[in-house]
Amino acid sequence: MTYIQVTGGKKLHGDIEVQGSKNAVLPILAASVLHNGVTTIHHCPEISDVQCMIRILDSIGCKVKKEGSTVIVDATQLNNYRIPDEFVARMRSSIILLGPLLGRQHFVTISYPGGCTIGARPIDLHVKGLKRLNAEIIEANDLLTCMTTKLLGTEINLDFPSVGATENILLAAVLAEGTTIITNAAKEPEIDELCAFLTCMGAKIDGSGTGTIIVQGATSLHDCEYTVKADRIVTGTYMAAVAATGGKIILRGAVKEHIEEVIEVVNRMGCVTQASSEGITVIQKSRPNAYDLLRTRSYPGFPTDLQSPVMAALTIARGNSILIENIFEARYKVVKELVKMGANIEIDGKIAIIRGVSSLHGASVKAYELRGGAALVIAGMIAKETTDIHSIEYILRGYEDICRDLRMLGATVNYIEE
Ligand code: EPZ
């Protein structure tokens, strides 16, 4: 088994190119099945979740070619109505194929995506929304069987601005008859990217990023080429890293508009950030300041995916910080691993109280999920000794090569074969 070994105590310096966005490219790859033709997607991150989505597309009859970070999907010959269970079990995002496959072939079966370590993650809003579009959905024996004679545009108000439910409904509405209006829709930048991609394919969509999305159903789409933007969560992870270690880094390709709230947070932690056409520069000259009260919220609020990386940085802050996790009910699994490294963190339900300590020490720790895993790498860079991080398959799901990136910024971070 491979693990990551970090020897900390170094400031970060240098510049890196930020990988393409995982949470934008996954729904875009799923959307490629809407079109009876070829889609070319550039700047795809080389991560295991993308590999999983490509294998799903293969399994339903798409011909997928990969040339470096470009993925070419030929969805002319779809020939399977069932998404293989092994992929659904590995990646919840496979559920996003429901909408486009219902739109394209009017029938799809998929096993129920289980929860994951960060929460129960039900899909009731997805099912409710697709039923509103005239889909019949039978839930039996952990299977969802979805069918329709024809999807019909309508008004759908989401009880909660779920990213996944917004994407699934949006993708189904593209080929529905008539107009669909989604209110209380998610506003995340990944929704904007999905809408930009669909528009590039010939779909008619207005209102992305406003909370009210209007989709005029289309009868046909066309080949398109799209370049995915930089991953805002990877950007934020490296900003949290330099906020903790000190130094000066340039994140090339990072999009300032996507991370305004994150910039505000690291600035309050003592960083200076400058945005330019090249990307974002982050400078930290001293030990981070504590952050009195940080709540995770739907976009444009502070993203839940950066809660753990920022928590890692706050472990050595001057003073005490309070974090409130409002989106996922079980996203503090990393805490006991950080405490093994000398952090002083108390959990009370959604609340985490982080009492800043002067330093962390090396330890052998374990990742339980993607962003918690990245937080342990940051903690390892804070600790002066060596830290071994196990179960890194979680980290590889979303970070193309966290060791390469951080080594380019001067850290000592390596994959070790056990
Ligand atoms: C997306 O997950 C992201 N994943 C997550 O990133 C991210 O944390 C999340 O949005 C919130 O920003 C991808 O884009 C692939 P939601 P998603 O539906 O779509 C509840 C990462 O680390 N809910 O907005 O699954 C749900 O339980 C991952 O990259 C329902 O109750 O998130 C949660 O509490 C982790 N019923 C909340 O809404 C539903 O039908 C937000 O979920 C759907 C969701």
Side-chain angles (χ1 to χ4, degrees):
M1 287 297 281
T2 309
Y3 63 96
I4 290 177
Q5 186 169 75
V6 189
T7 303
K10 289 186 178 165
K11 294 185 187 311
L12 297 181
H13 286 284
D15 61 293
I16 55 165
E17 179 75 32
V18 179
Q19 66 179 67
S21 166
K22 166 179 90 76
N23 292 346
V25 81
L26 292 175
I28 285 173
L29 284 167
S32 65
V33 304
L34 279 167
H35 170 42
N36 178 357
V38 178
T39 301
T40 305
I41 304 158
H42 301 292
H43 201 215
C44 278
E46 313 248 1
I47 53 177
S48 58
D49 273 12
V50 165
Q51 282 146 21
C52 185
M53 185 59 91
I54 289 174
R55 291 186 61 197
I56 295 177
L57 294 175
D58 269 335
S59 73
I60 58 174
C62 296
K63 292 190 186 51
V64 186
K65 270 192 299 177
K66 224 174 139 313
E67 294 160 3
S69 66
T70 293
V71 174
I72 302 157
V73 182
D74 179 345
T76 317
Q77 308 282 337
L78 295 189
N79 60 15
N80 187 352
Y81 297 93
R82 172 79 193 257
I83 313 286
D85 298 352
E86 61 172 300
F87 300 129
V88 182
R90 269 176 49 196
M91 183 180 68
R92 282 186 53 76
S93 309
S94 35
I95 197 74
I96 303 292
L97 280 150
L98 269 188
L101 286 175
L102 262 175
R104 173 79 187 273
Q105 57 186 28
H106 298 182
F107 188 91
V108 56
T109 305
I110 189 169
S111 52
Y112 222 94
C116 77
T117 51
I118 62 175
R121 306 186 76 175
I123 56 163
D124 55 316
L125 301 176
H126 299 239
V127 171
K128 210 168 145 193
L130 294 174
K131 283 183 175 174
R132 293 266 309 133
L133 285 166
N134 193 38
E136 189 189 341
I137 300 183
I138 301 162
E139 301 182 62
N141 313 324
D142 279 342
L143 265 187
L144 287 153
T145 303
C146 317
M147 65 205 95
T148 183
T149 47
K150 184 164 37 181
L151 292 174
L152 301 172
T154 184
E155 290 196 22
I156 298 167
N157 180 57
L158 283 173
D159 304 335
F160 178 86
S162 150
V163 174
T166 301
E167 291 166 344
N168 234 334
I169 295 164
L170 182 56
L171 290 167
V174 165
L175 292 178
E177 189 177 293
T179 304
T180 299
I181 303 175
I182 311 169
T183 52
N184 197 27
K187 299 178 192 163
E188 272 68 5
E190 292 76 31
I191 301 289
D192 291 347
E193 283 226 64
L194 179 58
C195 291
F197 167 75
L198 291 167
T199 304
C200 157
M201 225 182 191
K204 299 182 188 53
I205 303 173
D206 288 307
S208 76
T210 68
T212 299
I213 300 177
I214 302 166
V215 186
Q216 308 283 344
T219 48
S220 68
L221 301 166
H222 51 69
D223 289 7
C224 85
E225 204 159 332
Y226 183 82
T227 301
V228 178
K229 293 196 173 71
D231 192 309
R232 67 188 172 106
I233 305 299
V234 172
T235 302
T237 301
Y238 296 151
M239 292 170 81
V242 74
T245 62
K248 174 180 179 178
I249 64 173
I250 302 174
L251 300 167
R252 282 185 277 112
V255 183
K256 174 176 176 293
E257 292 69 34
H258 289 178
I259 47 167
E260 304 277 13
E261 188 68 15
V262 183
I263 290 173
E264 190 275 333
V265 169
V266 294
N267 285 357
R268 286 256 305 269
M269 292 167 70
C271 293
V272 175
T273 52
Q274 293 140 357
S276 68
S277 56
E278 193 195 5
I280 293 182
T281 302
V282 190
I283 304 164
Q284 171 72 298
K285 291 200 171 121
S286 62
R287 184 179 164 192
N289 305 329
Y291 197 98
D292 46 10
L293 181 56
L294 183 57
R295 293 184 178 85
T296 64
R297 288 203 186 98
S298 301
Y299 191 87
F302 184 80
T304 172
D305 297 344
L306 286 173
Q307 176 254 99
S308 304
V310 166
M311 175 190 272
L314 291 170
T315 58
I316 51 142
R318 249 192 300 262
N320 303 338
S321 310
I322 294 180
L323 258 172
I324 301 184
E325 173 54 55
N326 288 311
I327 306 294
F328 290 109
E329 69 279 10
R331 205 161 203 179
Y332 286 140
K333 289 218 173 43
V334 68
V335 169
K336 68 178 183 334
E337 302 302 302
L338 291 171
V339 169
K340 273 188 202 159
M341 300 177 72
N344 180 344
I345 306 172
E346 193 189 327
I347 299 296
D348 176 5
K350 298 196 314 183
I351 300 172
I353 301 162
I354 309 152
R355 297 189 177 82
V357 295
S358 56
S359 67
L360 297 181
H361 54 74
S364 174
V365 291
K366 183 176 176 242
Y368 289 92
E369 40 84 23
L370 168 59
R371 307 304 173 183
L376 292 173
V377 175
I378 294 174
M381 292 193 290
I382 294 170
K384 297 207 173 19
E385 307 83 10
T386 296
T387 298
D388 295 340
I389 301 161
H390 298 275
S391 304
I392 64 165
E393 62 277 8
Y394 290 109
I395 299 174
L396 302 177
R397 293 193 55 176
Y399 295 85
E400 194 168 80
D401 193 337
I402 198 166
C403 294
R404 171 203 64 201
D405 289 350
L406 292 169
R407 271 201 311 276
M408 285 170 72
L409 297 174
T412 306
V413 185
N414 295 293
Y415 300 110
I416 310 283
E417 290 303 322
E418 204 133 36

